[in-house]
Amino acid sequence: MPLMMSCQKEVAQPTLTPETEALLVGLTEMPKQGIMFGHHDDPLYGIGWEGDEGRSDVKSVCGDYPAVMSFDIGHIELGANESLDKISFDKIRKEIVAQYNRGGMNTISWHLDNPTTGGDSWDISDTTVVASVLPGGENHDMFLGWIDRMSDFMSSLQTEEGVKVPILFRPWHEHTGSWFWWGQKLTNADDYKALWRMTYDRMKKNGVDNVLFAYSPGTEPKDSTEYLERYPGDDIIDLLGFDAYQFGNRDQYLSSINNSMNILEQVGKAKNKPIALTETGYETIPDSTWWTQTLMPAIANYPISYVVVWRNAREKENHYYAPYPGHVSADDFVLFYDQPQTLFAQDVNDKLYQKN
Ligand code: BMA
């Protein structure tokens, strides 16, 4: 189908499908329209349900799906049928295609296992893991196989007509903290950057042309130099973001977000790349006006393309970040939804990919 490009954007990667190039333009232009709202694992499960066709806690509360859906493909590297959150990859693929068909965006994170210990992403018992997967390292060959499996999944994301679904991939996230095996104290800047470049090069070698890449540190960087300390390069990264959660009170959250947003806005402008709040939330949302009185003021004045809140776990008590019918913040979420600046699936369905 013909693509109407509203502007020519310099694309980080040389070969991308037209739909993927269009997504990059869509992300870049989105702040002129508003901020897309996103939710992790939105259509897979929620509070008190799992796998119901077409169901979404966000839709049950406000009437529309999120404009952005986030999924995690941890354990794809093992050749498993199910993700680390016990969802079959076939189901994830189906929901990614459904989100694309309704005009929404998909982003993917990767909480992959620790290749040295066999533990999970959070196994930080060993500081040689990143070095071990780089060329010359003892896990290098095995790890290329892990990237190949992940690449195959990306390439398998296709509509019935055979159109590859554009994905914003966000691997190696929150690396400025030290809770993942690729984190700040677990490796050095050169090895972290080499990990990114190896991932990118191998995916390109595997013919992956439907994937954009997001750089997504935490709130640790205090200025743009710290933010960019481990930045893998303009030729790899398409979107810049950061992850920030509310753990303490509202003021602490707002001040931390504000600091990180200022850095992000500055770096985004300098590099001419779209920016986003790639993960946020307040676990269980114990504040009935959090959406309009905390999240909205945190994001409203910044040119971000989207904001994602984390999952509504069905298997882990009190691990949810979006409202569900009857939740204390549900009415406030509807007010948030009603604001012209917040964009949901129906708001973006003819904008994101510039479809005719
Ligand atoms: C984390 C938690 C984990 C989950 C992971 C990937 O932040 O929600 O329980 O396994 O994300 O979805």
Side-chain angles (χ1 to χ4, degrees), residues 15-90:
T15 0
L16 289 172
T17 66
E19 293 77 12
T20 312
E21 282 189 25
L23 174 60
L24 183 55
V25 175
L27 278 165
T28 307
E29 302 284 303
M30 197 53 70
K32 291 180 191 156
Q33 318 269 352
I35 299 172
M36 294 190 286
F37 178 78
H39 184 211
H40 187 67
D41 279 358
D42 182 80
L44 301 177
Y45 52 79
I47 302 304
W49 63 276
E50 172 158 13
D52 305 11
E53 198 64 35
R55 192 161 171 184
S56 144
D57 280 347
V58 166
K59 182 166 182 273
S60 298
V61 169
C62 73
D64 197 3
Y65 293 103
V68 175
M69 288 191 185
S70 163
F71 298 95
D72 196 279
I73 55 168
H75 290 184
I76 198 81
E77 71 280 4
L78 308 177
N81 292 323
E82 286 189 348
S83 74
L84 83 164
D85 294 319
K86 302 202 165 38
I87 303 292
S88 84
F89 286 111
D90 286 345

Side-chain angles (χ1 to χ4, degrees), residues 41 43-44 67 69-73 88-109 153-154 156-159 163-168 210 353:
D41 279 358
L44 301 177
M69 288 191 185
S70 163
F71 298 95
D72 196 279
I73 55 168
S88 84
F89 286 111
D90 286 345
K91 171 72 173 164
I92 295 176
R93 180 184 301 107
K94 195 174 152 234
E95 292 300 341
I96 285 174
V97 173
Q99 174 70 353
Y100 175 69
N101 283 338
R102 66 172 76 94
M105 185 185 117
N106 291 286
T107 180
I108 291 182
S109 57
F153 181 76
M154 296 298 188
S156 79
L157 301 170
Q158 298 189 14
T159 66
V163 175
K164 286 194 198 168
V165 176
I167 298 295
L168 179 65
N210 57 324
Y353 305 96

Side-chain angles (χ1 to χ4, degrees), residues 124-184:
I124 50 170
S125 58
D126 188 316
T127 56
T128 63
V129 186
V130 173
S132 84
V133 301
L134 296 176
E138 77 254 27
N139 292 323
H140 179 63
D141 290 344
M142 178 187 88
F143 197 76
L144 291 181
W146 284 18
I147 299 176
D148 293 349
R149 284 180 175 141
M150 176 269 288
S151 302
D152 287 349
F153 181 76
M154 296 298 188
S155 296
S156 79
L157 301 170
Q158 298 189 14
T159 66
E160 272 183 19
E161 297 77 35
V163 175
K164 286 194 198 168
V165 176
I167 298 295
L168 179 65
F169 187 35
R170 201 170 60 85
W172 317 129
H173 66 304
E174 298 175 12
H175 66 283
T176 50
S178 298
W179 45 86
F180 295 133
W181 57 256
W182 56 88
Q184 184 78 17

Side-chain angles (χ1 to χ4, degrees), residues 103-355:
M105 185 185 117
N106 291 286
T107 180
I108 291 182
S109 57
W110 192 19
H111 286 85
L112 73 173
D113 274 2
N114 180 318
T116 302
T117 64
D120 58 22
S121 283
W122 295 267
D123 181 347
I124 50 170
S125 58
D126 188 316
T127 56
T128 63
V129 186
V130 173
S132 84
V133 301
L134 296 176
E138 77 254 27
N139 292 323
H140 179 63
D141 290 344
M142 178 187 88
F143 197 76
L144 291 181
W146 284 18
I147 299 176
D148 293 349
R149 284 180 175 141
M150 176 269 288
S151 302
D152 287 349
F153 181 76
M154 296 298 188
S155 296
S156 79
L157 301 170
Q158 298 189 14
T159 66
E160 272 183 19
E161 297 77 35
V163 175
K164 286 194 198 168
V165 176
I167 298 295
L168 179 65
F169 187 35
R170 201 170 60 85
W172 317 129
H173 66 304
E174 298 175 12
H175 66 283
T176 50
S178 298
W179 45 86
F180 295 133
W181 57 256
W182 56 88
Q184 184 78 17
K185 292 189 184 136
L186 286 303
T187 185
N188 59 46
D190 285 347
D191 284 358
Y192 177 81
K193 289 188 215 175
L195 175 66
W196 255 106
R197 195 155 290 277
M198 180 178 74
T199 307
Y200 175 88
D201 287 347
R202 186 75 180 185
M203 289 175 76
K204 290 285 132 185
K205 183 173 170 289
N206 290 337
V208 177
D209 55 5
N210 57 324
V211 169
L212 302 173
F213 294 87
Y215 178 70
S216 192
T219 54
E220 294 79 14
K222 293 289 164 277
D223 54 35
S224 56
T225 308
E226 284 184 23
Y227 181 89
L228 292 171
E229 194 223 349
R230 300 185 176 195
Y231 180 66
D234 289 338
D235 57 331
I236 293 181
I237 299 300
D238 299 289
L239 177 139
L240 304 155
F242 69 94
D243 293 2
Y245 285 86
Q246 180 167 344
F247 294 111
N249 64 35
R250 176 179 182 274
D251 289 348
Q252 287 165 335
Y253 175 73
L254 287 179
S255 120
S256 155
I257 293 263
N258 206 28
N259 290 338
S260 296
M261 282 287 195
N262 284 329
I263 298 167
L264 188 62
E265 187 176 7
Q266 191 191 327
V267 177
K269 275 201 184 116
K271 295 195 170 295
N272 191 26
K273 297 200 188 270
I275 59 173
L277 181 48
T278 40
E279 276 187 39
T280 195
Y282 188 13
E283 200 174 47
T284 77
I285 327 139
D287 173 349
S288 64
T289 58
W290 192 75
W291 303 99
T292 60
Q293 304 304 309
T294 299
L295 184 59
M296 202 62 200
I299 60 178
N301 297 325
Y302 295 97
I304 57 171
S305 306
Y306 73 85
V307 54
V308 162
V309 299
W310 212 241
R311 66 196 190 105
N312 281 10
R314 76 302 196 195
E315 84 294 0
K316 205 168 163 184
E317 223 187 324
N318 293 331
H319 187 55
Y320 62 88
Y321 297 85
Y324 51 86
H327 182 265
V328 68
S329 77
D331 290 349
D332 191 60
F333 188 80
V334 175
L335 298 176
F336 174 82
Y337 164 81
D338 282 340
Q339 303 209 8
Q341 202 184 350
T342 57
L343 305 175
F344 286 70
Q346 285 176 32
D347 301 317
V348 299
N349 65 5
D350 58 349
K351 297 187 179 73
L352 205 44
Y353 305 96
Q354 303 285 321
K355 287 181 186 170

